Amino acid sequence: MTENTPTPITIARGDGIGPEIMDATLEVLQASGANLAYEEIQIGESVYKRGIMNGMEPSAWESLRRTKVFLKAPITTPQGGGYKSLNVTIRGALGLFANIRPCVSYHPFVSTKHPKMDVVIVRENEEDLYAGIEYRQTQEVTQAVKLISRPGSEKIIRYAFEYARANHRNKVTAFVKDNIMKISDGLFHRVFDEIAAEYPDIEHETMIIDIGAARLADTPEHFDVIVTLNLYGDIISDIAAQITGSVGLAGSSNIGDQCAMFEAIHGSAPTIAGKGIANPSGLILASVMMLVHIGQAQAAEKIHNAWLKMVEDGIHTVDIFKRGVSKARVGTRDFAQNLIDRLGERPTTLTPASYQVGEKASFAGIALKELPPVRKVQVGVDVFVDHKGGNGDDMAARIQPLVGQGLKLAMISNRGQKVWPEGAPETFCTDHWRLRLLADGKDTVAPAEVVSLLGRFAESGLDVVQTASLYTFDGAAGYSVAAGQ
Ligand code: NAD
């Protein structure tokens, strides 16, 4: 490739307001002198309707693997019916582990209660409840599995600190809920503390997500970079973008070791689709992030500064238009044209954007720590059964005659609340029981003992819906205790 060879990128116009904001973005990119060659793919509703359950044709995947850069407009995910979210599928399949969402206030030009806000949310993008592993196990009870891994946590947390260092940011805050999820969120918290210690130049703190989200909504100027798990990050970044003035303002990047995807953080806004009034800023700012990622810093800077100038000039779409603050209310196309007219200009009050050629925009290829070997020992098994009626004592009376032979019944819980021994009579019980069986008079449980126990359960007519092995790791329990235990 010569210096003048256009960089191939894959684009998708998406659904709802997607085509309108993509057209506006492409016009701006074209006028900015960005050197790009587009491969367009079809994604979203039309593809789902053809029966492709993940919303994307095989040929589209080939384009993404070829270009490794994807500028994507929002799509509409059909609800229910077995359809998988295309966004989740793309992020997982292409290993786009880091979702970067800058949320900035443009005071006094865009009306906001938070004039000093400049927060970057670094959201883990591949794990958590978004693994989409869900079950209906009984008539009454459903389950979603939350997966948090050590490598996943290490990658996103290190990414957040590297991002902070490269972008001259001073503090990284982790949001977790490890007062409740001590093992999964607890792992994220521990890894955060470990990695933070390697960045003494950057301040760090941890907050429980509920109070963290409240403080973010109330005092966003307290925060600089926030790193968090997938679901929390999804929720707080919409809050953060909205309180800057509009969810339509924020762009985001999804970065992996090999590929990257750039998109607005908002969805397809079906209620305003086709009206020509959508704010294209989210996708335009995502395209700025994309230009920095592919090394076209000059075009990125030009577009970003023209965009800031336009915000200053009060040329606003309806979502940020405010009488007395804004000067003109424009539709999507006029917004793009006004931006193009300002290419080459810089803001006079807001801080101009500045990007360097070769600037490190993403930190893929993060090395993972070598973990020492660990001694993993099975010490028991949790057996979940479907049974309607009765209380913990009734269930224990039914189970006790079936145990023995190396395992003893240690506890029964219902929806995580201990109901035996010494359950509270007030506890409401569903048809989903957890029986905790531990090694009896010895340190470990053999798989054959568990199989034999399950055989006895089945013969007695118990409906076993799930089992979970209980392990210790170097002697520490790898399972939670029940509430009330
Ligand atoms: P949404 O973000 O589409 O809309 C939320 C609100 O913000 C609406 O009032 C909408 O009119 C407004 N809004 C959003 N973008 C705007 C813009 N650019 N300019 C002006 N106003 C804007 O969220 P939703 O309504 O919950 O979801 C609609 C669809 O989008 C759903 O099918 C959802 O699955 C999908 N979605 C897709 C993505 C994506 O493709 N990355 C992300 C989120 C939601």
Side-chain angles (χ1 to χ4, degrees):
M1 244 195 254
T2 68
E3 210 176 287
N4 292 326
T5 309
T7 306
I9 64 162
T10 302
I11 58 163
R13 286 185 154 76
D15 301 318
I17 59 170
E20 300 158 53
I21 60 171
M22 180 58 85
D23 285 347
T25 304
L26 294 180
E27 279 170 28
V28 171
L29 284 168
Q30 169 78 23
S32 74
N35 194 13
L36 304 168
Y38 302 115
E39 290 188 15
E40 182 163 356
I41 60 170
Q42 302 301 319
I43 58 167
E45 250 182 332
S46 61
V47 182
Y48 283 118
K49 279 187 186 145
R50 273 186 268 133
I52 298 171
M53 299 308 275
N54 66 15
M56 197 151 118
E57 307 251 21
S59 59
W61 288 105
E62 284 161 26
S63 172
L64 288 182
R65 290 210 176 84
R66 198 167 37 243
T67 66
K68 304 191 188 316
V69 183
F70 188 19
L71 181 63
K72 176 186 151 293
I75 59 149
T76 302
T77 307
Q79 297 208 323
Y83 296 106
K84 294 303 273 186
S85 158
L86 173 59
N87 298 316
V88 174
T89 306
I90 294 175
R91 290 167 189 158
L94 300 182
L96 308 179
F97 66 90
N99 189 342
I100 316 303
R101 299 181 156 195
C103 298
V104 185
S105 290
Y106 302 100
H107 176 80
F109 306 103
V110 176
S111 177
T112 168
K113 295 187 185 99
H114 305 289
K116 290 211 182 102
M117 177 172 180
D118 181 3
V119 180
V120 177
I121 293 166
V122 177
R123 165 187 172 194
E124 198 289 317
N125 224 9
E126 295 179 293
E127 308 195 332
D128 200 349
L129 289 157
Y130 288 69
I133 305 173
E134 291 190 295
Y135 303 99
R136 178 175 174 182
Q137 294 186 320
T138 67
Q139 189 177 27
E140 294 175 349
V141 175
T142 56
Q143 181 191 55
V145 178
K146 170 165 168 154
L147 286 174
I148 306 297
S149 77
R150 183 171 178 106
S153 304
E154 251 186 59
K155 274 163 76 173
I156 195 66
I157 292 166
R158 195 172 288 286
Y159 193 101
F161 279 96
E162 288 291 324
Y163 181 96
R165 192 175 264 173
N167 290 280
H168 313 293
R169 290 185 171 262
N170 301 320
K171 183 167 68 175
V172 179
T173 306
F175 279 2
V176 288
K177 185 78 185 169
D178 62 338
N179 54 334
I180 302 296
M181 283 158 282
K182 295 180 193 320
I183 295 183
S184 50
D185 284 34
L187 171 65
F188 194 86
H189 189 160
R190 248 192 353 268
V191 174
F192 180 76
D193 287 346
E194 265 173 40
I195 291 180
E198 296 176 34
Y199 295 82
D201 49 321
I202 298 167
E203 211 186 309
H204 69 278
E205 65 181 355
T206 306
M207 281 189 195
I208 300 295
I209 178 71
D210 35 9
I211 190 61
R215 286 196 72 183
L216 177 64
D218 182 62
T219 327
E221 57 277 13
H222 173 84
F223 299 96
D224 196 347
V225 174
I226 296 175
V227 64
T228 191
L229 302 171
N230 203 343
L231 179 62
Y232 309 147
D234 194 1
I235 297 168
I236 63 160
S237 56
D238 268 32
I239 297 174
Q242 184 69 41
I243 64 175
T244 65
S246 167
V247 74
L249 286 173
S252 76
S253 61
N254 297 265
I255 305 290
D257 288 337
Q258 288 160 48
C259 303
M261 174 169 83
F262 301 85
E263 58 182 344
I265 77 154
H266 59 76
S268 56
T271 54
I272 58 165
K275 295 185 177 162
I277 59 169
N279 186 346
S281 298
L283 194 59
I284 290 172
L285 293 180
S287 78
V288 168
M289 296 169 99
M290 177 190 78
L291 290 171
V292 178
H293 177 80
I294 60 175
Q296 296 195 21
Q298 213 181 349
E301 197 171 299
K302 208 166 158 188
I303 296 175
H304 202 163
N305 281 327
W307 183 86
L308 289 166
K309 180 74 171 71
M310 201 166 120
V311 169
E312 277 187 358
D313 288 348
I315 316 292
H316 294 165
T317 43
V318 64
D319 55 316
I320 54 170
F321 183 86
K322 189 149 194 213
R323 228 168 277 285
V325 178
S326 310
K327 299 276 180 323
R329 186 163 68 188
V330 291
T332 314
R333 295 196 68 149
D334 283 347
F335 188 93
Q337 191 51 55
N338 271 279
L339 205 166
I340 290 166
D341 293 344
R342 284 166 179 75
L343 285 170
E345 294 183 41
R346 289 160 70 81
T348 48
T349 307
L350 295 170
T351 310
S354 158
Y355 301 110
Q356 311 304 318
V357 176
E359 173 173 323
K360 213 171 169 213
S362 53
F363 311 94
I366 283 174
L368 295 171
K369 282 191 179 174
E370 284 270 335
L371 296 178
V374 67
R375 199 172 107 80
K376 176 181 166 187
V377 175
Q378 185 170 358
V379 295
V381 63
D382 275 356
V383 180
F384 293 79
V385 298
D386 178 347
H387 174 79
K388 183 78 184 148
N391 58 26
D393 290 343
D394 301 331
M395 181 56 84
R398 177 157 180 202
I399 299 303
Q400 288 290 24
L402 304 171
V403 298
Q405 302 180 30
L407 284 156
K408 64 168 187 258
L409 182 63
M411 183 272 299
I412 301 174
S413 71
N414 196 295
R415 292 188 303 170
Q417 178 67 41
K418 184 190 78 169
V419 292
W420 181 91
E422 292 158 19
E426 296 83 5
T427 303
F428 178 79
C429 291
T430 66
D431 57 4
H432 191 259
W433 303 78
R434 175 173 59 157
L435 318 175
R436 173 153 294 176
L437 298 124
L438 294 177
D440 190 12
K442 55 200 178 76
D443 295 334
T444 66
V445 168
E449 290 170 325
V450 174
V451 172
S452 154
L453 174 83
L454 293 176
R456 296 194 298 279
F457 279 1
E459 276 166 29
S460 81
L462 267 184
D463 181 4
V464 172
V465 294
Q466 184 184 356
T467 63
S469 301
L470 306 177
Y471 299 108
T472 57
F473 293 83
D474 288 339
Y479 48 92
S480 57
V481 296
Q485 208 181 349

